[in-house]
Amino acid sequence: MITKETIIGTILDTNPEAAPMFLSIGMHCLGCPSSRGETVEEACMVHGVDCDEFLSALNAYIAACAE
């Protein structure tokens, strides 16, 4: 399960299908070293997104992709 403390680079390495979720919150520089080293909470804060809502959607999306 992905948490607020999970590093975005780790998520993308293990679940590349999650990229569209980050793009949807305006995080268009997924390959940048700084964005890959951010936590989910940091990215949400920078992009003005409710972290709990995003995490819920992200975890559901990844689970659906795994089915």
Side-chain angles (χ1 to χ4, degrees):
M1 175 186 245
I2 295 168
T3 67
K4 292 179 180 183
E5 294 81 24
T6 307
I7 301 294
I8 292 171
T10 302
I11 297 167
L12 296 175
D13 289 345
T14 57
N15 302 96
E17 70 278 7
M21 293 295 295
F22 289 98
L23 294 172
S24 75
I25 65 167
M27 193 169 184
H28 299 288
C29 188
L30 293 178
C32 295
S34 60
S35 69
R36 287 190 52 88
E38 283 183 328
T39 65
V40 174
E41 185 173 40
E42 291 168 333
C44 287
M45 184 175 58
V46 168
H47 294 282
V49 173
D50 181 282
C51 191
D52 292 325
E53 288 180 17
F54 180 71
L55 276 173
S56 178
L58 179 62
N59 280 308
Y61 181 79
I62 290 172
C65 288
E67 292 179 356

